[in-house]
Amino acid sequence: MPETPPPPDTAPGITLTLGLDETNLVLEALGQLPFARVYQLIAAIQEQAHKQLANQPSDGGTPA
C-alpha cells in the first residue's frame, strides 16, 4: 500500500501557476481518486483559487 503523503501544512511548499481550465482538470482528475486520500488537497486548491479569483479585478463582462 502506498504511503500517505504528509499533511499540506507540514510539507515544504511550492507555487504552481495554472490557468482556470488546467486547475479544473486537476480537480477533475483528483475526483477520480479515493476521497479520503485527496479531500485535503482538493480543499487547499479550492481555497487558494477562491482567494486569487476574489482578488482579480472584475472586467464587468458577462460570462460566456
Side-chain angles (χ1 to χ4, degrees):
M1 179 183 253
E3 278 189 44
T4 302
D9 56 314
T10 62
I14 65 166
T15 301
L16 301 174
T17 303
L18 301 172
L20 188 56
D21 288 341
E22 293 167 317
T23 303
N24 286 332
L25 183 59
V26 169
L27 289 170
E28 183 180 333
L30 288 172
Q32 300 299 312
L33 297 173
F35 177 77
R37 177 142 184 177
V38 299
Y39 76 95
Q40 290 177 319
L41 177 56
I42 292 171
I45 292 170
Q46 290 176 331
E47 179 183 350
Q48 291 179 37
H50 286 285
K51 285 179 184 177
Q52 291 178 34
L53 292 174
N55 291 331
Q56 287 186 353
S58 176
D59 63 6
T62 55

